[in-house]
Amino acid sequence: MKQRLQLIIIVTTLVVVGLSSAIYKHYSLGFSFLPSESIRTWTVESAITFTANDGPVEMIFNLPNTSDNIAVLDMSSIDSGYTFELMENQAKWSREQAKGAQKIFFRATVSSLKGGQDLVPSSFKPYARELKEPATTAANNIIAEVEKRLENRTNSPLIKSETIKSETITKAIYLLTALNNTESPDTNVLISEAKFFPTKANLAATVLNKAGIKARPVRGINLVRDQNNASLDTYIEIVDNNKLVLLNPTTAQPESRETFLSWQIDDEPLLDLIGGSGGKVAISILGGRMAAERAAVLHGHQSGSVLIDFSIYSLPIKDQNTFKLLLLIPIGALVVVVLRNLIGIPTSGTFMPILIALVFLQTKLIAGLVLFITVVGVGLVLRSYLSHLNLLLVPRISAVLVFVIIIYVAISVGSHKLGIAGGMQVTFFPMIIISWTIERMSVLWEEEGPRDVFKQGGGSLFAASLIYFAMSNSYLKHLTFSFPELLLVVLAIIIMIGSYSGYRLTELRRFEPLARGE
Amino acid sequence: MFFVSPAKLRKAGVVGMNGRNVQLIARNNRRSLYPLVDNKVKTKEILAKAGISAPKLLGVVHHQGNIRELEDFLQKHQAFVIKPAKGSGGKGILVVSSHTDGEYTKASGETIGLRSLQRHSSNILSGLYSLGGANDVAMIEEMVHFSDTFDGFSFQGVPDIRIIVYKGFPVMAMTRLSTKASDGKANLHQGAVGVGLDLQTGQALRAVQFDRPVSHHPDTGVALQTFEVPLWSDFLLLASRCYEITSLGYLGVDIVLDKLKGPMVLELNARPGLAIQIANGSGLQPRVDAIDAMQSLVISNLSAHERAEHSMEHLSKV
């Protein structure tokens, strides 16, 4: 009884300490019990190429802009021998001496921001240049015509979609439509005038401003899909009721700003090269996701809390990832304990299923199962030959280890030749564990027969699959990582099961005839 | 019904695996005592010291150097068994029934040369048959001349009697008969027939194969109800005496019947399994409880003989 009391005290202490510190962290330090959502991110990589003129080189590259919807989190340069300098809105590379073809990679991680209000930035300046005759008259004609049409519109029934748009947007749309109408002589006059402007969009912005709409041209990328050769497209931003609206000048329709990364505003040059020629920029986009907390930390929203300094969050990201996995292993152990002591499923090797599950995390479940069964199956066939030779234990396992490596090579090379991706993943399986598994199963086969091998093998794979699901569960992942103190609770449960002397689930079946006899 | 409720099992007094490990083994068997039964050389020594009947230990091959002496040594012994001291599941046991001029005749009738015999011993030493592959020693013990009482009850081999001894009291007994289905092995979950034995009489209570009752041996056709152990009280006495020499509170004793020398202890087991409950058609718990209800002072004053008698009289009906 004394032992029992001790057990109860230990278990209660562990549960109380674990749970209370988790609850404290939740309420006082603001750690969420639910996994924080991940947000969409994109890695935008610009490959800048040019030819240097055998002398000092200076290159200035315009940077993408953080807006209300998109945040630029992280910028880095991959170059050789250049001095890289980040300035406001621009990045500068310089080098004393360079000759021939040069290549510089500039990588930026951008993320979408939740609840962007499309607010007009304080730096917003309308783009308006003086127009010369006859362009002034042509522009006035177009504006007058549009305004007349707008007046008529109030009297006539209109398409639904247009009615919900504000007056300013409708006017801008009408104006842009008119500017695209090449049959109108006024438009043609304006188009011939466009050569005095950097782009047609600049001219369009000027006309819009003339009509009383605050507008500016902007070049940027629509982050809709992964692209290897993304182009900077030209759009027009207008101010409507203190909100920024993005218009596509060719279709004359509004576009979503949620995925729009603006890069060049007004006349900003993309690349400014001194001491070189033939500067070219190729932009590629790769989408991804990032934990919201991490994005917040990078974005500088996180208020350097002292309390967070005492959590795993204070470690470098690389080390955090190690702990992410380590902290999940007790969950795997708990699953093994439950399966063996409460349910009564036999597994070959106590913790082998956990190691197999760790591999499944990398290969994904189905591929992992197929690879495991193939390797162990072939291994068993080869090992059965060794049985006839009556080898000693250590040389025997070593021989199996060599077999396993040969099987790995065969699967990798074979699947590569057949064009099946994923065969290489076989190397994720820990060779020593696989060798021991084959050895143990082979001995089991000889001593107890194939029935027991399938029972144990099946039990092990079932356990490994369950552990895989537990370990890849985002909720459990978040809990173990953000609340490592909950491991004390896991420990308490394991200790409790350790002292459980009741029946296992499978015994309810095994001893069923005994209960019937009563 | 496929599953049964835990309450029904508890009522039937069935001990589960967790219950066995926590209540029977962990509380009654001290770890430090395990080597006594896990190493058969040590078991033999304590059995011999206490004068408990067991196959005599003829010699031990301790290291490879001894193997050269084997031939001379074996001249003195006509029938013998070579087996690993820490073997499990009957692996590595070589039975030689007779030999002449370096030709050794195995129990199966096959003959092997001295070379094979030496290699077998060498394999035992290097741990080929032992748990975990640890280095081992090879024991040479005298061969049991099995009584023909149990002829026809087993498909291959000769059955032994397994008696569970709790705190010195025999609490349950059975015998395992190998079948074609079990491939000659005496393992119940592989298809051997388990026959529960009445503690009072040593007669068959019931027989099961694959956990289901059977009346006749599936291969030999013998009516299993006729199975009866002669000299039953000697078996029980032998089993309960093993408690004193091992101090293991939960102990499995395997006993064989020799033609001339009567019952002999073949092996001891510190972690006997639970299939014996199925063979007996009843749970261990009520018998364990009956022993636990006795005053420990009373128990310690009882002789092995008195304990065996107590079991015969009181436990068979519990």
Side-chain angles (χ1 to χ4, degrees), chain A residues 143 147 171 175 205-213:
Chain A
I143 293 167
E147 276 170 353
K171 192 174 174 184
L175 279 167
T206 304
V207 175
L208 286 174
N209 277 302
K210 209 170 165 54
I213 300 167

Side-chain angles (χ1 to χ4, degrees), chain A residues 341 392 447-448 452 503 507, chain B residues 14 17-18 91 126 190:
Chain A
N341 288 65
L392 296 177
E447 289 183 0
E448 314 281 327
D452 283 58
Y503 301 111
E507 285 174 343
Chain B
V14 176
M17 213 57 170
N18 292 331
K91 275 202 96 183
S126 54
Q190 288 181 324

Side-chain angles (χ1 to χ4, degrees), chain A residues 214-234:
Chain A
K214 284 181 192 159
R216 66 174 181 187
V218 59
R219 274 160 74 78
I221 297 176
N222 225 340
L223 302 165
V224 278
R225 62 194 162 86
D226 292 357
Q227 272 173 287
N228 269 337
N229 221 329
S231 57
L232 290 172
D233 294 323
T234 308

